[in-house]
Amino acid sequence: ANAARVFLAECARQLQQRLAQSLFAVNRHQVGDDLLLVGDPHRQASGFRVGGLAGAEAKPLAKVASGGELSRISLAIQVLTSRSASVPTLIFDEVDVGIGGGVAEIVGRLLRELGGERQVLCVTHLPQVAARAEWQWQVSKATRDGVTLSSIQPLDDERRVCEIARMLGGVEVTDITLAHAGELLRSTPVLAQK
C-alpha cells in the first residue's frame, strides 16, 4: 500500500507540472503546488487547487471554477492524457465561455492538437476557435408552427469564410470582415495526413 501511495504521489506531481504549464497557456491560471490526494488509503479521491492570478491563493477547483473554466481545465487535461486514453470522440460545449482574443486562439490550437489523436466535436461562438477546425458546420435554429427546430449544415470553403466573417463582424458582413476571416483560416496549419 505504501509503494502504491509513493507511485501515485509521483504521478500526481508530474501531472501537476504538465497541467500547470497547459492551464497557464489556456487560461492564465496558476495551479496549486499540489494535486490533493484525499480520503482513506484504500479509496483515494483526488482534487485540484487553482488560483486565478499570479500570487493568488490556490483554492479547491470545485469551489472557484465557473462552467467555462471547468471546460477549459478539462480540455487541458484531455490534451495531456490523450495518448493514453482510449476514448475515440470528445465533445466540448462552451469551452470558449469568458475568453477571447489570444486565449481563444490557444484553445483552438489545443483542440486541433487533440483532434490529431481522436475525433473532437466543439460547439463554439468564437472565430479564433472555429478557424482551427479541420471541418466546420453551422448550427441554426428556426421556429416553425410554434416549434423550435435546429439544423446543421456542413460548410464548404466559401461558406466557411462567410460564417467566420459573420462570427467576427456580426449581422453585417463587409469586405474587411471577409478578408479577416480568410486570413484567419489561412493562418491555420494543415494537419499531417493520417
Side-chain angles (χ1 to χ4, degrees):
N2 194 34
R5 288 195 109 181
V6 169
F7 175 74
L8 285 175
E10 177 58 21
C11 289
R13 186 190 67 73
Q14 289 179 23
L15 177 61
Q16 185 278 331
Q17 243 179 355
R18 291 182 181 126
L19 187 57
Q21 293 169 346
S22 184
L23 284 177
F24 186 75
V26 171
N27 211 26
R28 303 295 187 245
H29 271 295
Q30 301 295 321
V31 177
D33 290 335
D34 50 76
L35 172 64
L36 300 176
L37 296 175
V38 296
D40 68 57
H42 302 293
R43 201 176 134 143
Q44 287 189 338
S46 60
F48 294 97
R49 295 172 57 88
V50 296
L53 300 170
E57 179 186 350
K59 296 180 181 169
L61 176 66
K63 292 186 178 188
V64 296
S66 68
E69 288 171 320
L70 289 173
S71 292
R72 291 185 291 280
I73 290 167
S74 172
L75 171 62
I77 293 169
Q78 292 292 342
V79 169
L80 289 175
T81 61
S82 66
R83 293 192 193 275
S84 61
S86 62
V87 178
T89 303
L90 297 169
I91 301 171
F92 293 95
D93 188 10
E94 297 187 22
V95 74
D96 58 7
V97 171
I99 63 170
V103 176
E105 186 177 336
I106 292 167
V107 167
R109 287 179 190 171
L110 287 172
L111 287 165
R112 185 157 178 112
E113 178 184 329
L114 193 54
E117 301 289 327
R118 64 200 70 248
Q119 182 179 28
V120 175
L121 302 174
C122 177
V123 177
T124 184
H125 300 281
L126 292 178
Q128 298 94 328
V129 174
R132 294 290 174 174
E134 210 170 336
W135 304 95
Q136 186 175 347
W137 292 269
Q138 180 185 40
V139 179
S140 57
K141 295 180 182 180
T143 303
R144 192 177 319 145
D145 298 326
V147 177
T148 302
L149 303 171
S150 297
S151 66
I152 300 174
Q153 297 294 318
L155 301 178
D156 61 19
D157 290 344
E158 184 180 336
R159 288 187 61 212
R160 189 165 183 209
V161 170
C162 291
E163 178 59 12
I164 295 290
R166 186 198 61 76
M167 295 170 82
L168 284 165
V171 176
E172 186 177 334
V173 174
T174 66
D175 290 342
I176 293 171
T177 53
L178 286 168
H180 187 192
E183 180 182 344
L184 197 55
L185 287 163
R186 283 189 302 276
S187 73
T188 300
V190 176
L191 290 177
Q193 294 296 325
K194 296 176 187 176

Short mmCIF file of all heavy atoms in Angstrom, two decimals, residues 87-134:
data_model
loop_
_atom_site.label_atom_id
_atom_site.label_comp_id
_atom_site.label_asym_id
_atom_site.label_seq_id
_atom_site.Cartn_x
_atom_site.Cartn_y
_atom_site.Cartn_z
N VAL A 87 -10.67 6.89 -25.52
CA VAL A 87 -11.95 7.46 -25.92
C VAL A 87 -11.79 7.98 -27.36
O VAL A 87 -10.95 8.84 -27.61
CB VAL A 87 -12.35 8.61 -24.97
CG1 VAL A 87 -13.66 9.25 -25.41
CG2 VAL A 87 -12.45 8.10 -23.54
N PRO A 88 -12.61 7.48 -28.32
CA PRO A 88 -12.42 7.87 -29.72
C PRO A 88 -12.98 9.26 -30.06
O PRO A 88 -12.53 9.87 -31.01
CB PRO A 88 -13.17 6.79 -30.49
CG PRO A 88 -14.21 6.30 -29.54
CD PRO A 88 -13.60 6.42 -28.16
N THR A 89 -13.93 9.76 -29.28
CA THR A 89 -14.56 11.04 -29.58
C THR A 89 -14.71 11.85 -28.31
O THR A 89 -15.16 11.35 -27.29
CB THR A 89 -15.96 10.84 -30.21
OG1 THR A 89 -15.83 10.04 -31.38
CG2 THR A 89 -16.60 12.16 -30.58
N LEU A 90 -14.34 13.13 -28.38
CA LEU A 90 -14.52 14.05 -27.27
C LEU A 90 -15.42 15.19 -27.73
O LEU A 90 -15.29 15.68 -28.86
CB LEU A 90 -13.17 14.62 -26.82
CG LEU A 90 -12.19 13.59 -26.27
CD1 LEU A 90 -10.81 14.21 -26.11
CD2 LEU A 90 -12.68 13.03 -24.96
N ILE A 91 -16.34 15.61 -26.87
CA ILE A 91 -17.27 16.68 -27.19
C ILE A 91 -17.10 17.80 -26.18
O ILE A 91 -17.16 17.56 -24.97
CB ILE A 91 -18.72 16.17 -27.19
CG1 ILE A 91 -18.87 15.04 -28.22
CG2 ILE A 91 -19.70 17.31 -27.49
CD1 ILE A 91 -20.19 14.32 -28.17
N PHE A 92 -16.89 19.01 -26.69
CA PHE A 92 -16.75 20.19 -25.83
C PHE A 92 -17.83 21.19 -26.19
O PHE A 92 -18.02 21.53 -27.35
CB PHE A 92 -15.37 20.84 -26.01
CG PHE A 92 -14.24 19.99 -25.52
CD1 PHE A 92 -13.54 19.17 -26.38
CD2 PHE A 92 -13.90 20.00 -24.17
CE1 PHE A 92 -12.51 18.38 -25.93
CE2 PHE A 92 -12.86 19.22 -23.71
CZ PHE A 92 -12.17 18.40 -24.58
N ASP A 93 -18.53 21.67 -25.19
CA ASP A 93 -19.55 22.69 -25.36
C ASP A 93 -19.22 23.83 -24.40
O ASP A 93 -18.90 23.58 -23.24
CB ASP A 93 -20.94 22.11 -25.05
CG ASP A 93 -22.08 23.06 -25.39
OD1 ASP A 93 -21.81 24.09 -26.04
OD2 ASP A 93 -23.21 22.78 -25.00
N GLU A 94 -19.25 25.03 -24.88
CA GLU A 94 -18.96 26.22 -24.09
C GLU A 94 -17.53 26.26 -23.57
O GLU A 94 -17.25 26.82 -22.52
CB GLU A 94 -19.95 26.37 -22.93
CG GLU A 94 -21.39 26.56 -23.40
CD GLU A 94 -22.33 26.87 -22.26
OE1 GLU A 94 -21.87 27.33 -21.21
OE2 GLU A 94 -23.52 26.66 -22.44
N VAL A 95 -16.61 25.66 -24.31
CA VAL A 95 -15.21 25.71 -23.91
C VAL A 95 -14.67 27.13 -24.06
O VAL A 95 -13.64 27.47 -23.49
CB VAL A 95 -14.38 24.68 -24.73
CG1 VAL A 95 -14.17 25.14 -26.15
CG2 VAL A 95 -13.08 24.35 -24.06
N ASP A 96 -15.40 27.99 -24.80
CA ASP A 96 -14.93 29.34 -25.05
C ASP A 96 -15.64 30.41 -24.22
O ASP A 96 -15.47 31.60 -24.46
CB ASP A 96 -15.06 29.68 -26.53
CG ASP A 96 -16.49 29.55 -27.05
OD1 ASP A 96 -17.42 29.33 -26.24
OD2 ASP A 96 -16.68 29.66 -28.26
N VAL A 97 -16.39 30.01 -23.21
CA VAL A 97 -17.10 30.98 -22.36
C VAL A 97 -16.09 31.84 -21.61
O VAL A 97 -15.16 31.34 -21.00
CB VAL A 97 -18.03 30.26 -21.36
CG1 VAL A 97 -18.60 31.23 -20.34
CG2 VAL A 97 -19.15 29.55 -22.09
N GLY A 98 -16.25 33.14 -21.68
CA GLY A 98 -15.43 34.05 -20.90
C GLY A 98 -14.03 34.26 -21.41
O GLY A 98 -13.19 34.79 -20.68
N ILE A 99 -13.74 33.86 -22.64
CA ILE A 99 -12.41 34.10 -23.20
C ILE A 99 -12.55 34.81 -24.54
O ILE A 99 -13.63 34.93 -25.09
CB ILE A 99 -11.59 32.79 -23.38
CG1 ILE A 99 -12.27 31.86 -24.40
CG2 ILE A 99 -11.37 32.11 -22.05
CD1 ILE A 99 -11.42 30.68 -24.80
N GLY A 100 -11.45 35.24 -25.06
CA GLY A 100 -11.44 35.87 -26.37
C GLY A 100 -10.01 36.09 -26.80
O GLY A 100 -9.07 35.74 -26.08
N GLY A 101 -9.83 36.65 -27.97
CA GLY A 101 -8.51 37.02 -28.46
C GLY A 101 -7.49 35.91 -28.44
O GLY A 101 -7.72 34.82 -28.95
N GLY A 102 -6.34 36.20 -27.82
CA GLY A 102 -5.22 35.26 -27.80
C GLY A 102 -5.54 33.96 -27.09
O GLY A 102 -5.10 32.89 -27.51
N VAL A 103 -6.29 34.03 -25.98
CA VAL A 103 -6.63 32.81 -25.24
C VAL A 103 -7.53 31.93 -26.11
O VAL A 103 -7.38 30.71 -26.15
CB VAL A 103 -7.29 33.12 -23.88
CG1 VAL A 103 -7.73 31.86 -23.18
CG2 VAL A 103 -6.31 33.88 -23.00
N ALA A 104 -8.45 32.53 -26.85
CA ALA A 104 -9.32 31.77 -27.76
C ALA A 104 -8.49 31.07 -28.83
O ALA A 104 -8.75 29.92 -29.18
CB ALA A 104 -10.36 32.68 -28.40
N GLU A 105 -7.48 31.76 -29.33
CA GLU A 105 -6.61 31.15 -30.33
C GLU A 105 -5.86 29.94 -29.75
O GLU A 105 -5.73 28.91 -30.39
CB GLU A 105 -5.62 32.17 -30.88
CG GLU A 105 -4.79 31.64 -32.02
CD GLU A 105 -3.86 32.68 -32.60
OE1 GLU A 105 -4.14 33.89 -32.47
OE2 GLU A 105 -2.85 32.27 -33.19
N ILE A 106 -5.41 30.08 -28.51
CA ILE A 106 -4.71 28.97 -27.86
C ILE A 106 -5.64 27.79 -27.64
O ILE A 106 -5.28 26.64 -27.88
CB ILE A 106 -4.07 29.43 -26.53
CG1 ILE A 106 -2.92 30.40 -26.82
CG2 ILE A 106 -3.58 28.25 -25.70
CD1 ILE A 106 -2.43 31.17 -25.62
N VAL A 107 -6.88 28.06 -27.21
CA VAL A 107 -7.87 26.99 -27.05
C VAL A 107 -8.10 26.29 -28.39
O VAL A 107 -8.16 25.07 -28.47
CB VAL A 107 -9.19 27.53 -26.45
CG1 VAL A 107 -10.32 26.52 -26.57
CG2 VAL A 107 -8.98 27.90 -24.99
N GLY A 108 -8.22 27.08 -29.47
CA GLY A 108 -8.37 26.49 -30.80
C GLY A 108 -7.20 25.59 -31.18
O GLY A 108 -7.38 24.51 -31.72
N ARG A 109 -5.98 26.04 -30.86
CA ARG A 109 -4.79 25.22 -31.14
C ARG A 109 -4.81 23.92 -30.34
O ARG A 109 -4.47 22.86 -30.87
CB ARG A 109 -3.53 26.00 -30.79
CG ARG A 109 -3.20 27.10 -31.75
CD ARG A 109 -1.95 27.83 -31.31
NE ARG A 109 -1.75 29.03 -32.09
CZ ARG A 109 -0.85 29.94 -31.81
NH1 ARG A 109 -0.05 29.78 -30.76
NH2 ARG A 109 -0.73 31.01 -32.56
N LEU A 110 -5.18 24.01 -29.06
CA LEU A 110 -5.23 22.81 -28.23
C LEU A 110 -6.28 21.82 -28.75
O LEU A 110 -6.05 20.61 -28.78
CB LEU A 110 -5.52 23.16 -26.78
CG LEU A 110 -4.37 23.82 -26.01
CD1 LEU A 110 -4.84 24.29 -24.64
CD2 LEU A 110 -3.20 22.86 -25.87
N LEU A 111 -7.44 22.33 -29.16
CA LEU A 111 -8.47 21.45 -29.71
C LEU A 111 -7.98 20.79 -31.00
O LEU A 111 -8.22 19.61 -31.22
CB LEU A 111 -9.76 22.24 -29.98
CG LEU A 111 -10.55 22.62 -28.73
CD1 LEU A 111 -11.58 23.69 -29.06
CD2 LEU A 111 -11.22 21.39 -28.13
N ARG A 112 -7.29 21.54 -31.81
CA ARG A 112 -6.76 20.98 -33.06
C ARG A 112 -5.71 19.92 -32.76
O ARG A 112 -5.67 18.87 -33.40
CB ARG A 112 -6.19 22.08 -33.94
CG ARG A 112 -5.74 21.53 -35.29
CD ARG A 112 -5.72 22.63 -36.30
NE ARG A 112 -5.25 22.13 -37.58
CZ ARG A 112 -6.02 22.03 -38.64
NH1 ARG A 112 -7.28 22.37 -38.57
NH2 ARG A 112 -5.53 21.60 -39.78
N GLU A 113 -4.85 20.19 -31.78
CA GLU A 113 -3.85 19.20 -31.37
C GLU A 113 -4.52 17.93 -30.88
O GLU A 113 -4.13 16.82 -31.26
CB GLU A 113 -2.98 19.80 -30.26
CG GLU A 113 -1.93 18.86 -29.71
CD GLU A 113 -1.17 19.49 -28.54
OE1 GLU A 113 -0.99 20.72 -28.51
OE2 GLU A 113 -0.76 18.72 -27.65
N LEU A 114 -5.54 18.08 -30.08
CA LEU A 114 -6.30 16.94 -29.58
C LEU A 114 -6.95 16.19 -30.73
O LEU A 114 -7.02 14.96 -30.74
CB LEU A 114 -7.33 17.43 -28.57
CG LEU A 114 -8.03 16.42 -27.69
CD1 LEU A 114 -7.04 15.56 -26.93
CD2 LEU A 114 -8.95 17.15 -26.72
N GLY A 115 -7.42 16.92 -31.74
CA GLY A 115 -8.04 16.31 -32.91
C GLY A 115 -7.07 15.49 -33.74
O GLY A 115 -7.50 14.67 -34.56
N GLY A 116 -5.79 15.68 -33.56
CA GLY A 116 -4.81 14.86 -34.26
C GLY A 116 -4.78 13.43 -33.74
O GLY A 116 -4.33 12.52 -34.42
N GLU A 117 -5.28 13.23 -32.53
CA GLU A 117 -5.27 11.91 -31.90
C GLU A 117 -6.63 11.21 -31.93
O GLU A 117 -6.72 10.01 -31.81
CB GLU A 117 -4.84 12.04 -30.43
CG GLU A 117 -3.46 12.64 -30.24
CD GLU A 117 -2.37 11.69 -30.67
OE1 GLU A 117 -2.55 10.47 -30.53
OE2 GLU A 117 -1.35 12.18 -31.20
N ARG A 118 -7.71 12.00 -32.03
CA ARG A 118 -9.06 11.44 -31.97
C ARG A 118 -10.04 12.46 -32.54
O ARG A 118 -9.67 13.58 -32.84
CB ARG A 118 -9.44 11.07 -30.54
CG ARG A 118 -9.51 12.28 -29.61
CD ARG A 118 -9.40 11.93 -28.15
NE ARG A 118 -8.05 11.48 -27.86
CZ ARG A 118 -7.74 10.22 -27.52
NH1 ARG A 118 -8.65 9.32 -27.37
NH2 ARG A 118 -6.50 9.87 -27.31
N GLN A 119 -11.30 12.06 -32.66
CA GLN A 119 -12.32 12.98 -33.16
C GLN A 119 -12.72 13.95 -32.04
O GLN A 119 -12.99 13.53 -30.93
CB GLN A 119 -13.54 12.20 -33.63
CG GLN A 119 -14.61 13.08 -34.21
CD GLN A 119 -15.80 12.28 -34.70
OE1 GLN A 119 -16.09 11.20 -34.20
NE2 GLN A 119 -16.50 12.82 -35.66
N VAL A 120 -12.76 15.23 -32.36
CA VAL A 120 -13.15 16.26 -31.41
C VAL A 120 -14.30 17.05 -32.02
O VAL A 120 -14.19 17.55 -33.14
CB VAL A 120 -11.98 17.21 -31.08
CG1 VAL A 120 -12.44 18.36 -30.19
CG2 VAL A 120 -10.84 16.46 -30.43
N LEU A 121 -15.38 17.16 -31.28
CA LEU A 121 -16.51 18.00 -31.67
C LEU A 121 -16.58 19.14 -30.68
O LEU A 121 -16.51 18.91 -29.47
CB LEU A 121 -17.82 17.21 -31.65
CG LEU A 121 -17.87 15.98 -32.56
CD1 LEU A 121 -19.16 15.21 -32.32
CD2 LEU A 121 -17.73 16.37 -34.00
N CYS A 122 -16.71 20.35 -31.18
CA CYS A 122 -16.72 21.51 -30.30
C CYS A 122 -17.77 22.51 -30.76
O CYS A 122 -17.78 22.91 -31.92
CB CYS A 122 -15.35 22.17 -30.31
SG CYS A 122 -15.27 23.67 -29.30
N VAL A 123 -18.65 22.88 -29.86
CA VAL A 123 -19.60 23.96 -30.12
C VAL A 123 -18.92 25.24 -29.67
O VAL A 123 -18.50 25.35 -28.52
CB VAL A 123 -20.92 23.75 -29.35
CG1 VAL A 123 -21.86 24.92 -29.58
CG2 VAL A 123 -21.57 22.43 -29.74
N THR A 124 -18.77 26.19 -30.59
CA THR A 124 -18.07 27.43 -30.26
C THR A 124 -18.78 28.63 -30.89
O THR A 124 -19.45 28.50 -31.90
CB THR A 124 -16.60 27.39 -30.71
OG1 THR A 124 -15.96 28.59 -30.29
CG2 THR A 124 -16.47 27.23 -32.22
N HIS A 125 -18.58 29.77 -30.28
CA HIS A 125 -19.09 31.03 -30.82
C HIS A 125 -17.94 31.95 -31.20
O HIS A 125 -18.17 33.10 -31.57
CB HIS A 125 -19.99 31.71 -29.78
CG HIS A 125 -21.16 30.88 -29.42
ND1 HIS A 125 -22.29 30.78 -30.20
CD2 HIS A 125 -21.38 30.06 -28.36
CE1 HIS A 125 -23.14 29.95 -29.65
NE2 HIS A 125 -22.62 29.50 -28.53
N LEU A 126 -16.72 31.46 -31.08
CA LEU A 126 -15.55 32.30 -31.34
C LEU A 126 -14.87 31.92 -32.66
O LEU A 126 -14.54 30.75 -32.88
CB LEU A 126 -14.54 32.18 -30.21
CG LEU A 126 -14.98 32.76 -28.87
CD1 LEU A 126 -13.91 32.55 -27.82
CD2 LEU A 126 -15.29 34.24 -29.00
N PRO A 127 -14.63 32.90 -33.51
CA PRO A 127 -13.99 32.60 -34.79
C PRO A 127 -12.57 32.07 -34.64
O PRO A 127 -12.12 31.26 -35.45
CB PRO A 127 -14.00 33.96 -35.52
CG PRO A 127 -14.17 34.98 -34.45
CD PRO A 127 -14.95 34.32 -33.36
N GLN A 128 -11.86 32.49 -33.58
CA GLN A 128 -10.49 32.01 -33.36
C GLN A 128 -10.47 30.50 -33.09
O GLN A 128 -9.52 29.82 -33.43
CB GLN A 128 -9.82 32.73 -32.20
CG GLN A 128 -9.67 34.21 -32.40
CD GLN A 128 -10.82 34.99 -31.78
OE1 GLN A 128 -11.96 34.53 -31.73
NE2 GLN A 128 -10.54 36.20 -31.34
N VAL A 129 -11.51 30.00 -32.46
CA VAL A 129 -11.62 28.56 -32.18
C VAL A 129 -12.10 27.84 -33.44
O VAL A 129 -11.52 26.84 -33.87
CB VAL A 129 -12.56 28.29 -30.98
CG1 VAL A 129 -12.79 26.79 -30.79
CG2 VAL A 129 -11.99 28.91 -29.71
N ALA A 130 -13.17 28.35 -34.06
CA ALA A 130 -13.74 27.70 -35.24
C ALA A 130 -12.75 27.62 -36.40
O ALA A 130 -12.71 26.63 -37.13
CB ALA A 130 -15.00 28.46 -35.67
N ALA A 131 -11.92 28.64 -36.55
CA ALA A 131 -10.97 28.66 -37.67
C ALA A 131 -9.91 27.58 -37.56
O ALA A 131 -9.31 27.19 -38.56
CB ALA A 131 -10.29 30.04 -37.75
N ARG A 132 -9.68 27.05 -36.37
CA ARG A 132 -8.68 26.00 -36.18
C ARG A 132 -9.22 24.61 -36.51
O ARG A 132 -8.46 23.64 -36.57
CB ARG A 132 -8.17 26.00 -34.73
CG ARG A 132 -7.39 27.23 -34.37
CD ARG A 132 -6.08 27.24 -35.09
NE ARG A 132 -5.37 28.50 -34.85
CZ ARG A 132 -4.15 28.72 -35.28
NH1 ARG A 132 -3.52 27.81 -35.96
NH2 ARG A 132 -3.58 29.87 -35.05
N ALA A 133 -10.51 24.50 -36.74
CA ALA A 133 -11.12 23.20 -37.02
C ALA A 133 -10.74 22.70 -38.41
O ALA A 133 -10.51 23.49 -39.33
CB ALA A 133 -12.64 23.29 -36.91
N GLU A 134 -10.72 21.40 -38.55
CA GLU A 134 -10.48 20.79 -39.86
C GLU A 134 -11.75 20.86 -40.70
O GLU A 134 -11.70 21.01 -41.91
CB GLU A 134 -10.05 19.33 -39.66
CG GLU A 134 -9.16 18.82 -40.72
CD GLU A 134 -8.58 17.46 -40.37
OE1 GLU A 134 -8.48 17.10 -39.18
OE2 GLU A 134 -8.22 16.76 -41.31
#
